Amino acid sequence: MKKTPFVTKQQVEEIVKQFPTPFHLYDEAGIRANAQAVKDAFAWNPGFREYFAVKATPNPYLLKILKDYDMGCDCSSYTELMLAKSCGFDGEHIMFSSNDTPAEEFAYADKLGAIINLDDFTHIDFLEETIGYIPETISCRYNPGGVFTLSNGIMDNPGDSKYGMTKEQLFEAFKILKSKGAKYFGVHAFLASNTVTNEYYPQLAKELFELVVELKNETGCDIRFVNLSGGVGVAYKPDQTPNDISVIGAGVHKVYDEVLVPAGMGDVAIYTEMGRFMMAPYGCLVTKAIHEKHIYKEYIGVDACAANLMRPAIYGSYHHITVLGKEDAPCDHTYDVVGSLCENCDKFAIDRQLPKIDMGDYLVIHDTGAHGFSMGYNYNGRLRSAEILLESNGEAKLIRRAETPADYFATFDCFDEKLGIVKIKHSINYDKEDEKFLSDTKNYPSQRDVNITKKMISEVKNYQKFLIENTNYTIDNKNIIFFNYERKKPYSDTNLRKKFTYYCNKANVTKIRMYDLRHTYVATMMGEGKELYLISSRIGHINYSTTVNKYGHLSNKVKREMASATDKYI
């Protein structure tokens, strides 16, 4: 099957005018169509629900798309639970499937009313000790051991997996949980990863259906759901045939009618936790060719690296690559497509047949919508890229900004040493002199300037309140420093530099180079990613991009970056 990008060269050329490469791009129309197809495939089961594996693509904008289809979240950590809550998912729509689970994560899952899926027999006592009781609805993860086979051979080896309980442990767990107050039960199993066959779910379902019939007969437990977890894969390679979710759903339906219905269990709900199948084909990594190297092999260097997409480097995974604008050109060149990390495994493709690649060409690395951005990291000080949603109407929407150096250094903000990094958290600090200045209208050349300043203060106070109520930020009286460059007339450059240096010193900032135009000082600082927000009522305009773009001596790229940084913050 030919792999065709969901974005064109012309669209990318428009997107990069606002958001530089590399970036992860997602196809809203594709995500929605696939979500509906999954719902349709299991519509025969009234209780069906897909709990999307948040670990695959933890972005609230994408989770909210799935929420439109009554899907839930499969969470495995405290922060994933926080993300699900922030997106408005209630407890019934959150499945907490974790392993080696810290006590605070069980406690938070219980606080949210999430369905807790126990990975191990010992977790029964651990959970009870942590929250003081056993929830009425509980699930247990099953591991049958041995190897899992389909008609085309061995798919995976559950016996080597750290997850789940043995059959004997599972039966004993149900009995104990029931005695401790549990009323409604579920069984979960994940036996193979990224299966590209329509057989996997039906065979797994058959094994689990037979298991729960036996469980019910032996323990008397009220089994309400069977969770098939994930494992339904995608066709990363062009010569693979993609899974057909309608065929998969029909296959599960068949064994449901054969096993559960005759056993009087025709009301059992089917749950799934598909991450890869839900998102992978509907995301790609867009990157630009920036270098070529001709030694013992032919190399194309791109501006993305394994920090943006880890799978090829650590798994040797295949991700198809399309050179935009050359989709129909002959693939008559052999390249290694590489990133910039100081690791020889930082390769997106090895000995890949591709069209001739010229510097400046845009490459689409396919199927990165799951386990792409989410597995990113900061080795070599590389920063994570932006995430962009290609909306159904064709517009590009930023759904996560790219990291800045300030993000990279943010975890040093608790130290007093001067590291050349701004030590600021989230509160507001006014200088006594400026407190008087801000309240004294006579010192301003016009009332308009006073209104702008008050508006900015109001915005930041609202932001501060939001942070206090919704995050774990603490207040230490160092944060956003407001000051004004002018009273009745502009400061001279010399006095302005002194004033600016004074505020930098107050914020524990080491010496910072300033530029020649006072109106660009603040925008330049923010455009460089400094975590110091110096906002002036005399910057010229409420719309910062107007101010920044006014100065022609700045390059278009710098102007865009500075305008974007300031506008986003304000």
Side-chain angles (χ1 to χ4, degrees):
M1 182 191 77
K2 181 179 180 181
K3 296 187 78 70
T4 303
F6 58 79
V7 65
T8 66
K9 178 183 178 183
Q10 290 72 26
Q11 286 175 304
V12 166
E13 287 173 340
E14 285 301 311
I15 293 171
V16 298
K17 291 177 182 178
Q18 189 174 7
F19 309 112
T21 55
F23 52 79
H24 283 270
L25 185 68
Y26 302 93
D27 175 20
E28 180 182 6
I31 294 169
R32 289 188 179 278
N34 189 54
Q36 187 60 54
V38 169
K39 285 201 70 172
D40 292 345
F42 288 91
W44 55 267
N45 183 258
F48 171 77
R49 178 165 291 138
E50 156 65 13
Y51 289 85
F52 175 70
V54 175
K55 65 179 75 67
T57 322
N59 189 294
Y61 291 90
L62 302 179
L63 295 181
K64 288 177 182 179
I65 291 175
L66 299 180
K67 191 171 184 285
D68 290 344
Y69 298 85
D70 195 39
M71 295 184 173
C73 291
D74 160 38
C75 300
S76 59
S77 69
Y78 196 101
T79 47
E80 288 181 1
L81 288 167
M82 290 176 68
L83 182 57
K85 177 181 180 293
S86 73
C87 291
F89 291 93
D90 60 24
E92 288 186 4
H93 287 77
I94 301 174
M95 181 73 63
F96 185 54
S97 296
S98 65
N99 68 96
D100 193 21
T101 309
E104 60 268 21
E105 296 189 359
F106 274 138
Y108 189 54
D110 178 65
K111 179 181 178 181
L112 297 182
I115 301 170
I116 294 175
N117 182 37
L118 296 177
D119 177 70
D120 186 64
F121 183 80
T122 63
H123 289 180
I124 298 173
D125 289 342
F126 187 78
L127 176 65
E128 187 176 34
E129 291 168 5
T130 299
I131 66 174
Y133 61 96
I134 294 297
E136 286 192 354
T137 299
I138 196 80
S139 176
C140 291
R141 186 166 183 167
Y142 171 58
N143 182 336
V147 295
F148 182 75
T149 61
L150 295 172
S151 61
N152 59 352
I154 294 174
M155 296 302 296
D156 222 321
N157 189 352
D160 281 343
S161 168
K162 68 174 182 176
Y163 307 111
M165 306 180 193
T166 66
K167 185 175 181 179
E168 293 75 15
Q169 289 175 332
L170 183 70
F171 277 67
E172 187 64 20
F174 270 49
K175 293 174 184 177
I176 293 172
L177 289 165
K178 184 180 180 182
S179 71
K180 291 179 178 290
K183 295 181 179 179
Y184 312 114
F185 295 81
V187 174
H188 169 289
F190 179 86
L191 303 187
S193 178
N194 192 38
T195 61
V196 189
T197 168
N198 296 327
E199 292 182 48
Y200 171 62
Y201 257 5
Q203 181 160 329
L204 171 63
K206 185 174 186 295
E207 291 188 21
L208 292 183
F209 294 164
E210 291 172 348
L211 176 71
V212 298
V213 170
E214 189 177 347
L215 265 170
K216 181 183 179 182
N217 291 337
E218 183 169 325
T219 66
C221 290
D222 184 357
I223 299 173
R224 292 295 181 92
F225 63 86
V226 171
N227 189 336
L228 302 178
S229 188
V232 177
V234 299
Y236 285 101
K237 297 180 179 180
D239 59 356
Q240 292 178 304
T241 301
N243 285 325
D244 186 333
I245 195 65
S246 64
V247 173
I248 292 172
V252 175
H253 191 182
K254 180 175 181 292
V255 294
Y256 186 99
D257 287 346
E258 291 173 350
V259 179
L260 291 182
V261 172
M265 299 178 70
D267 58 348
V268 170
I270 303 299
Y271 295 163
T272 58
E273 296 174 349
M274 295 181 285
R276 195 187 314 264
F277 184 81
M278 297 303 301
M279 286 286 180
Y282 313 107
C284 64
L285 176 60
V286 180
T287 184
K288 182 168 68 174
I290 59 174
H291 289 291
E292 56 186 332
K293 185 170 185 175
H294 316 285
I295 50 173
Y296 307 106
K297 301 181 77 172
E298 295 294 304
Y299 293 94
I300 295 295
V302 295
D303 57 5
C305 64
N308 306 112
L309 178 63
M310 180 194 286
R311 297 184 72 255
I314 64 168
Y315 300 136
S317 303
Y318 180 95
H319 280 266
H320 197 66
I321 295 176
T322 295
V323 184
L324 290 180
K326 300 180 178 180
E327 290 86 348
D328 298 321
C331 295
D332 52 4
H333 286 64
T334 303
Y335 296 116
D336 279 16
V337 180
V338 303
S340 59
L341 293 189
C342 299
E343 293 290 339
N344 198 42
C345 65
D346 183 16
K347 298 178 179 180
F348 295 113
I350 298 174
D351 295 329
R352 185 75 60 86
Q353 293 295 116
L354 292 166
K356 182 180 184 302
I357 297 176
D358 298 301
M359 296 304 94
D361 279 349
Y362 293 108
L363 280 63
V364 163
I365 302 178
H366 291 249
D367 302 316
T368 67
H371 311 291
F373 178 92
S374 65
M375 295 179 73
Y377 56 106
N378 288 124
Y379 181 61
N380 269 175
R382 295 298 174 190
L383 304 176
R384 293 177 180 87
S385 62
E387 291 183 292
I388 299 169
L389 180 64
L390 186 63
E391 296 180 295
S392 299
N393 62 8
E395 295 294 316
K397 177 181 178 179
L398 184 71
I399 58 173
R400 190 194 302 265
R401 66 165 174 81
E403 286 184 337
T404 68
D407 297 314
Y408 182 78
F409 292 115
T411 50
F412 295 107
D413 65 1
C414 57
F415 303 108
D416 292 329
E417 292 87 350
K418 292 183 179 180
L419 302 173
I421 304 157
V422 181
K423 181 181 182 294
I424 298 177
K425 288 193 180 178
H426 292 82
S427 67
I428 300 175
N429 184 35
Y430 298 112
D431 183 83
K432 288 183 179 179
E433 177 188 356
D434 286 305
E435 184 73 44
K436 179 180 179 182
F437 182 35
L438 289 173
S439 63
D440 189 353
T441 306
K442 292 185 295 184
N443 287 326
Y444 285 89
S446 73
Q447 183 66 35
R448 173 178 174 271
D449 294 323
V450 177
N451 291 337
I452 294 172
T453 301
K454 287 182 177 178
K455 180 176 185 295
M456 290 179 177
I457 293 174
S458 175
E459 295 259 341
V460 174
K461 283 184 175 178
N462 289 336
Y463 179 59
Q464 177 190 19
K465 182 180 178 183
F466 169 80
L467 288 171
I468 294 171
E469 292 177 352
N470 295 278
T471 72
N472 295 321
Y473 282 117
T474 56
I475 303 302
D476 68 351
N477 289 327
K478 282 185 178 179
N479 182 31
I480 301 157
I481 304 172
F482 284 86
F483 72 101
N484 296 273
Y485 291 128
E486 305 176 23
R487 292 181 189 263
K488 290 185 178 180
K489 63 180 182 178
Y491 287 115
S492 68
D493 277 356
T494 301
N495 289 335
L496 177 58
R497 288 171 188 271
K498 288 180 180 178
K499 185 73 170 176
F500 189 68
T501 302
Y502 162 71
Y503 278 99
C504 289
N505 289 337
K506 275 190 64 175
N508 294 331
V509 184
T510 54
K511 185 172 177 62
I512 298 173
R513 176 174 174 78
M514 296 190 298
Y515 296 83
D516 58 339
L517 290 170
R518 67 178 186 275
H519 291 80
T520 63
Y521 290 164
V522 174
T524 301
M525 292 290 297
M526 298 182 75
E528 288 179 346
K530 299 292 191 299
E531 196 182 348
L532 173 64
Y533 304 113
L534 301 172
I535 303 173
S536 167
S537 68
R538 297 290 296 166
I539 202 162
H541 305 275
I542 296 176
N543 181 345
Y544 280 49
S545 63
T546 304
T547 295
V548 175
N549 289 328
K550 178 178 176 182
Y551 299 100
H553 69 286
L554 297 173
S555 73
N556 286 333
K557 181 173 185 246
V558 171
K559 285 192 287 188
R560 284 197 304 272
E561 289 176 353
M562 295 193 312
S564 175
T566 51
D567 274 333
K568 281 177 201 168
Y569 182 72
I570 294 301

